Amino acid sequence: MQAAIMHGLGLPLDIEDVTPEPPGANDIVVSVEAAGVCHSDISGLRGYLGLENPTILGHEVAGVVTEVGADVRGLRVGDRIIGSLVPHCKQCFWCLRGQSHLCAETWSVRGVTRARTASGDAVTSMLGLGAFAEQMVMDSRLAVKVDSDLPAEQLALIGCGISTGAGAALWTAKVQPGSTVAVIGCGGVGQSLIQGARIAGAARIIAVDPTPFKREVSLRNGATDTVDPGQGPTAEQVKDLTSGRGVDYAFEVVGRMQTVTDAYESARRGGEVITVGIPSPDARIDLPATDFFRAEKSIVGSYYGSTQVASGFQVFADLIAAGRFDAEGLITHRYGLGDLARAFDELEAGEVIRGVVTF
Ligand SMILES: [Zn+2]
Ligand SMILES: [Zn+2]
């Protein structure tokens, strides 16, 4: 099968013919229909995610089950599935407490040999998925069956961008009706977050991004105001829009410490800061401790939008089908597997909200 293989840091992505490994008793084989191109793929290429090499890149994916291991329960050949970034084992400490996004089995499904190169080298798959390939051989606990007629490229986005973004508003922060929200960073995840805040009933949604195109798209997704950080300090502009107070919820969707600080300063006294962006491994958060205490602000990390995938993916599919969440509006570019290098360039250049590879 054709797959996009990362051989190591700084090396170009190769589209190669590799031979899939046979599935184990708890594995399934999935025919990939669509895979989203996400900033985390670029983070992987840069070494931020500590991926083993060689590995099949790609992690935002929808497809159809074509083979099921002997011990797999609850999945059948022909099922439509969305790939989850974390397993849902239903047995660990976290899964039993409604925090399956922190599942203890997360590392056991990664680093497994899933294919061989022509010269016989073992190939793993990014986050246990490896979506930039015609097929995925994967742990069945990473697959979530969905009952949906939606196009595969829309379902694929649920697997990462939509859950991470909209989940942060709906499930991590539990944005309240009538509240005020700032979203710093308006790529695919930020735009999903804006839609999540809109669905939650936020009264003011302030989209912060230096790219005019992304600010413009954010207004279509439910933002009520936009801020260009190039026009002055973000927090001052956000406060100007909120009677000088700042917002109830300030979401950081970039992964840089400057934007975490911007989010902190944009939150009102008693407000909440939610970090969604992926920081570099050595980053530290440095904030004024006295103000943190006096202003009673809280900071919370949002991993995968706190999404409980077993039920949450279907929630998003239903919101899209009902016209309440606009997934098609997030897709600005379509690619073939051979166009991936260009897809990454265009994503980094800020020209893309979401690009999708279809097979
Ligand atoms: Zn992603
Ligand atoms: Zn678990």
Side-chain angles (χ1 to χ4, degrees):
M1 65 167 180
Q2 294 286 301
I5 314 273
M6 175 191 173
H7 283 277
L9 280 185
L11 297 175
L13 201 63
D14 255 354
I15 310 298
E16 295 179 33
D17 202 28
V18 295
T19 307
E21 289 280 281
N26 287 303
D27 296 333
I28 58 171
V29 181
V30 172
S31 172
V32 176
E33 292 186 295
V37 183
C38 172
H39 258 288
S40 302
D41 296 308
I42 297 175
S43 300
L45 271 175
R46 286 199 186 128
Y48 288 2
L49 306 180
L51 302 179
E52 329 77 11
N53 294 307
T55 194
I56 304 171
L57 225 54
H59 62 279
E60 187 177 77
V61 60
V64 176
V65 177
T66 58
E67 210 178 319
V68 175
D71 295 341
V72 173
R73 298 284 170 270
L75 288 171
R76 290 181 183 183
V77 170
D79 283 347
R80 294 193 95 186
I81 65 104
I82 297 173
S84 170
L85 307 186
V86 291
H88 50 117
C89 79
K90 304 186 181 81
Q91 289 168 6
C92 75
F93 177 93
W94 287 275
C95 280
L96 292 175
R97 282 160 183 78
Q99 293 181 305
S100 69
H101 58 301
L102 304 176
C103 178
E105 294 300 318
T106 297
W107 289 271
S108 72
V109 300
R110 298 178 181 175
V112 180
T113 299
R114 292 307 191 185
R116 298 271 170 189
T117 64
S119 51
D121 292 339
V123 180
T124 61
S125 57
M126 180 177 183
L127 309 184
L129 293 168
F132 297 142
E134 292 169 303
Q135 261 181 38
M136 297 183 296
V137 181
M138 58 189 275
D139 192 302
S140 60
R141 294 170 298 178
L142 288 171
V144 178
K145 181 182 168 178
V146 282
D147 180 16
S148 173
D149 298 324
L150 289 171
E153 54 259 49
Q154 296 188 26
L155 290 179
L157 303 196
I158 293 174
C160 181
I162 292 176
S163 291
T164 302
L170 293 168
W171 293 321
T172 308
K174 299 183 177 69
V175 166
Q176 294 299 299
S179 58
T180 53
V181 169
V183 180
I184 302 177
C186 300
V189 172
Q191 299 292 343
S192 298
L193 210 163
I194 288 166
Q195 292 204 43
R198 185 199 70 215
I199 290 167
R204 288 296 276 287
I205 303 173
I206 303 166
V208 183
D209 199 286
T211 309
F213 159 65
K214 292 182 182 174
R215 293 199 300 273
E216 203 181 291
V217 172
S218 71
L219 293 169
R220 290 207 297 273
N221 282 322
T224 55
D225 305 88
T226 63
V227 161
D228 174 3
Q231 297 299 310
T234 294
E236 279 178 28
Q237 297 190 66
V238 169
K239 284 179 177 165
D240 283 346
L241 292 166
T242 49
S243 311
R245 280 193 298 269
V247 289
D248 301 324
Y249 306 94
F251 292 91
E252 195 279 344
V253 201
V254 183
R256 294 201 194 114
M257 293 314 105
Q258 179 57 53
T259 39
V260 171
T261 305
D262 290 341
Y264 179 81
E265 291 172 351
S266 298
R268 66 164 168 82
R269 283 161 52 83
E272 189 171 336
V273 179
I274 304 96
T275 70
V276 181
I278 303 179
S280 68
D282 55 352
R284 293 284 180 277
I285 296 176
D286 181 19
L287 294 169
T290 307
D291 181 63
F292 183 61
F293 156 72
R294 282 184 207 281
E296 206 182 64
K297 294 186 186 183
S298 56
I299 303 181
V300 61
S302 176
Y303 184 68
Y304 210 5
S306 312
T307 301
Q308 305 308 293
V309 296
S311 54
F313 283 1
Q314 187 67 48
V315 169
F316 286 126
D318 292 344
L319 285 168
I320 296 167
R324 305 262 291 142
F325 189 103
D326 180 12
E328 182 58 34
L330 298 176
I331 302 171
T332 53
H333 292 65
R334 286 182 164 78
Y335 303 101
L337 191 60
D339 305 323
L340 265 180
R342 177 165 61 88
F344 288 151
D345 286 346
E346 290 174 352
L347 184 61
E348 285 214 284
E351 299 166 10
V352 178
I353 299 296
R354 214 40 152 197
V356 183
V357 175
T358 48
F359 291 82

